[in-house]
Amino acid sequence: MAKIGINLQKGKIDNQNDHEVIIGIDLGTTNSLVAYIDHCSNSPVCISNEGSKNLVPSVVHFGENGEIIIGEAAKKMLEINPSRTIFSAKRLMGKSYNDISHYSDFFSYNIIDDNTESLVKVNIDQKFYTPIELSSFILKELKHIAEIKLGKSITKVVITVPAYFNDSQRQATKDAGKLAGLDVLRIVNEPTAASLAYGIGLSPDEEKTIAVYDLGGGTFDISILSIQQGVFEVLATNGNTFLGGDDIDKVITEHWKSKYAIEINDQHSQQTIRLLAEQCKKLLSSNDNFEATFQTKTVALTRAEFDQLIAPIIAETISCCEKALKDANVQIGQIDEVLMVGGSTRTPAIKEAVGKFFNKTVNDQLNPDEVVALGAAVQANILAGNQKDILLLDITPLSLGIETMGGLMDVIIPRNSKIPIRAGRSYTTSKDGQTQLKISVYQGERDLIKDNRKLAEFILAGIPSMPAGLPKVEIQFLINADGILTVKAKELRSGVESSIEVKPQYGLSDSDVERMLLESLEHAKEDMHIRALTESVTEAKQMIEVTEKFLATHHVLLNETEIEATKAKIESLRKELTNTDRHIIQQSIEDLNQFTRPFAERVMDWAIGESMRGKKISD
Ligand code: AMP
């Protein structure tokens, strides 16, 4: 029997059949997909477009007459008009020209490099497009496909991103959604989505450690996830952003060229042989032999030859798996499930090698092209309130903190912290009457901020004028479930506050993160020394300032010899400010401190005397 719900607030009958549909989108480097939960079967399904294909190539073509073409039709233009056809826009998300300069040859379109520090743009005619706009065109197309299929307007969406995407890349993906007229309810990690598609992590008492092996057309990712009580935590990720099925096609092409003495002199033949190689690879996933004709020559490949050819590629992915396990501090025996994602995992030799490495039969029942989108739909359904909410946890790849006196990094959220996370610390002013405080946010592992990466800077103004050290400024860092950082500063005595949402100017690649970590290890000893020295110099400067202030206000309490001796000690400490031996600085601080300590007692006695003066002792 159907149930009819009455909405007491609106006084209307709720139509149970008219569920709000939130779609899940896998915004891929090569292909994108959209999925939703079919309420008849209560299972996720991918939505196909008119050509009855689920995959929408992530390609945008700008026609000569201003028309914008997306998907399969745009992919066809890749060869005909490469300079007006944009592929792999996902690789540009949140990146500066500096970030991509070493592989800019990979793109056949015009990437602008007017300012190497700012975000990349693509130039078509006289117009400049950001990767956010380009992705928004693809998202709009997917929204359109879903609206046609479901017969209703779609506004809410869950979008997946690689687990290693940083703040700026996640923010860029959210912005692309917004630009496409979509409300992005959640950014979900691709391996988490794959896990949800397999139904892993949906039951609250489930505890599992899983590996998600994702080999697509152009990228490879391995992620190790821990799932506990519906909480997903990415323990580690590894991979290669330029390794995938395309490389397998290349290996076959090169093999044929040398074996059959094939000469390729033009773009068209190059494309034909590449497509033939891809066809061969796909066929060998279910057959033992491939044979075809290319330029009057017979080209052939057996499964055994193919397996041998791709062995180095497989070995590279396995070595990434080893590194990921090591980073996650997980033993092979602790992995409960291995999920296969991405079209290239259809190759039997790959399944076999991965299964052998993890000592486990891999999960490959779901279509590896669709699994991420299906999982995004499961998460969308959870957010639509159709299933109890499940927290998605991530980790911060690098420490986050602020600059303190002497250019030191003060870490507020250490690297590898689980997110969402909130952390805070109190600070104060260093000068009397200081009414504003500059807060500079940094990311990195080094002790000096100059060696780390600046994310943002803002000013907390309007602090009432007070002596140094009296204002209490609470700085809060908050990283939400999407991995976006908000920094808030509040002066607790006056209540003035200011905050900033960190949208870093340009992103970091996984290799940058790795480099920053390696550098921090390499320089650990030297950094420790510099930190200790900087702290001593800062302390010495403060000591000089305080003592000079003391002399100026309380000189009447000191005799001439004492004043001169204090000044001499201040000068000798000042001379040591440039010393590189912190022990000598510390010695000099202690010397001044010892000498002035009795004066401080004199001031205390004097102050007590002053406060008693004129006061009656009550009887
Ligand atoms: P994706 O980026 O996940 O869409 O992966 C696409 C990649 O999967 C391309 O390199 C395809 O050539 C590859 N692929 C698709 N089907 C097969 C198959 N049957 N066997 C091997 N590779 C395949």
Side-chain angles (χ1 to χ4, degrees), residues 511-580:
S511 59
D512 287 333
V513 172
E514 195 176 321
R515 178 181 50 77
M516 288 171 84
L517 292 178
L518 284 175
E519 273 175 13
S520 79
L521 291 175
E522 226 171 84
H523 298 283
K525 213 170 154 191
E526 168 196 334
D527 275 9
M528 235 165 69
H529 168 72
I530 296 176
R531 172 178 281 275
L533 182 66
T534 312
E535 277 170 357
S536 295
V537 170
T538 305
E539 193 186 335
K541 281 184 184 161
Q542 277 172 341
M543 185 75 195
I544 292 171
E545 206 180 312
V546 168
T547 318
E548 282 180 333
K549 209 167 108 186
F550 177 87
L551 283 185
T553 36
H554 299 297
H555 55 91
V556 286
L557 301 174
L558 272 59
N559 66 37
E560 205 54 41
T561 331
E562 285 169 337
I563 292 174
E564 285 316 309
T566 311
K567 280 184 178 168
K569 289 204 182 295
I570 289 176
E571 279 327 299
S572 70
L573 177 56
R574 205 189 306 274
K575 256 190 236 136
E576 301 301 353
L577 287 179
T578 50
N579 201 319
T580 51

Side-chain angles (χ1 to χ4, degrees), residues 26 28-33 55 214-219 244-249 278-279 281-286 306 341-348 350 368-370:
D26 168 10
T29 308
T30 330
N31 293 304
S32 296
L33 287 96
L55 293 174
D214 182 349
L215 188 63
T219 58
D246 299 346
D247 298 282
I248 298 180
D249 305 343
E278 187 181 13
Q279 209 182 320
K281 167 186 77 177
K282 290 184 179 175
L283 189 99
L284 290 179
S285 288
S286 49
F306 172 67
V341 179
S344 301
T345 61
R346 288 196 180 90
T347 295
I350 291 176
D369 288 319
E370 294 184 352

Side-chain angles (χ1 to χ4, degrees), residues 24 66 101 118 146 247 316 356 375 416 498 561 570:
S101 57
S118 60
D247 298 282
E316 189 181 339
K356 198 166 152 207
N416 277 343
S498 177
T561 331
I570 289 176

Side-chain angles (χ1 to χ4, degrees), residues 65-303:
N65 301 320
E67 71 276 25
I68 297 173
I69 302 163
I70 316 292
E72 207 58 56
K75 191 179 172 183
K76 290 201 179 94
M77 301 306 286
L78 269 176
E79 289 162 61
I80 305 166
N81 202 343
S83 66
R84 306 180 71 90
T85 312
I86 318 298
F87 64 96
S88 279
K90 185 173 173 178
R91 292 188 191 275
L92 305 176
M93 287 293 249
K95 302 264 177 168
S96 73
Y97 186 77
N98 261 353
D99 295 327
I100 59 147
S101 57
H102 59 288
Y103 60 86
S104 59
D105 285 352
F106 170 83
F107 304 98
S108 46
Y109 42 86
N110 190 10
I111 295 173
I112 303 305
D113 61 345
D114 52 349
N115 177 355
T116 50
E117 285 285 297
S118 60
L119 294 170
V120 292
K121 286 190 200 83
V122 169
N123 177 213
I124 304 281
D125 297 332
Q126 295 314 313
K127 279 194 171 166
F128 300 102
Y129 296 92
T130 63
I132 296 176
E133 284 170 280
L134 297 167
S135 297
S136 83
F137 294 136
I138 299 165
L139 290 171
K140 247 187 229 165
E141 176 72 9
L142 295 166
K143 174 181 190 291
H144 177 69
I145 292 171
E147 284 176 340
I148 289 185
K149 165 82 181 184
L150 302 173
K152 58 169 84 176
S153 141
I154 303 284
T155 53
K156 293 181 179 171
V157 65
V158 167
I159 305 179
T160 58
V161 295
Y164 60 77
F165 254 31
N166 64 19
D167 297 343
S168 81
Q169 292 166 304
R170 284 165 198 267
Q171 187 63 50
T173 307
K174 266 196 141 174
D175 290 347
K178 212 181 282 171
L179 213 57
L182 290 164
D183 181 8
V184 183
L185 298 185
R186 186 72 61 95
I187 296 286
V188 178
N189 286 324
E190 287 161 8
T192 301
S195 170
L196 290 172
Y198 272 101
I200 301 168
L202 289 175
S203 109
D205 46 4
E206 197 171 12
E207 287 200 3
K208 275 195 169 140
T209 306
I210 66 165
V212 182
Y213 179 101
D214 182 349
L215 188 63
T219 58
F220 169 64
D221 300 315
I222 172 77
S223 312
I224 311 293
L225 306 188
S226 153
I227 302 156
Q228 277 184 19
Q229 294 158 357
V231 174
F232 288 73
E233 186 188 340
V234 181
L235 297 180
T237 68
N238 208 293
N240 182 339
T241 45
F242 282 94
L243 184 72
D246 299 346
D247 298 282
I248 298 180
D249 305 343
K250 234 174 265 164
V251 167
I252 301 175
T253 310
E254 291 308 314
H255 168 75
W256 281 343
K257 281 204 298 200
S258 78
K259 183 170 180 185
Y260 302 111
I262 295 171
E263 294 259 346
I264 305 279
N265 302 317
D266 61 296
Q267 275 269 322
H268 179 73
S269 314
Q270 178 61 35
Q271 185 64 6
T272 314
I273 195 165
R274 195 186 62 75
L275 289 174
L276 206 59
E278 187 181 13
Q279 209 182 320
C280 161
K281 167 186 77 177
K282 290 184 179 175
L283 189 99
L284 290 179
S285 288
S286 49
N287 290 273
D288 287 335
N289 295 292
F290 174 86
E291 206 176 280
T293 309
F294 177 75
Q295 291 180 346
T296 70
K297 286 181 178 155
T298 300
V299 291
L301 198 68
T302 65
R303 170 88 72 90

Side-chain angles (χ1 to χ4, degrees), residues 478-494:
L478 169 78
I479 308 181
N480 69 12
D482 296 330
I484 291 161
L485 169 70
T486 305
V487 180
K488 280 189 188 151
K490 184 174 183 177
E491 201 288 302
L492 298 180
R493 293 180 200 277
S494 58

Side-chain angles (χ1 to χ4, degrees), residues 365-400:
Q365 299 91 320
L366 293 176
N367 180 331
D369 288 319
E370 294 184 352
V371 57
V372 169
L374 296 175
V378 173
Q379 176 63 49
N381 197 41
I382 293 166
L383 293 176
N386 299 328
Q387 214 164 339
K388 80 159 195 51
D389 207 340
I390 289 171
L391 256 175
L392 302 177
L393 277 199
D394 219 331
I395 53 165
T396 54
L398 293 168
S399 302
L400 294 159

Side-chain angles (χ1 to χ4, degrees), residues 306-324:
F306 172 67
D307 289 355
Q308 216 171 2
L309 283 179
I310 64 165
I313 293 178
I314 300 181
E316 189 181 339
T317 68
I318 296 295
S319 119
C320 292
C321 295
E322 274 170 358
K323 285 184 203 143

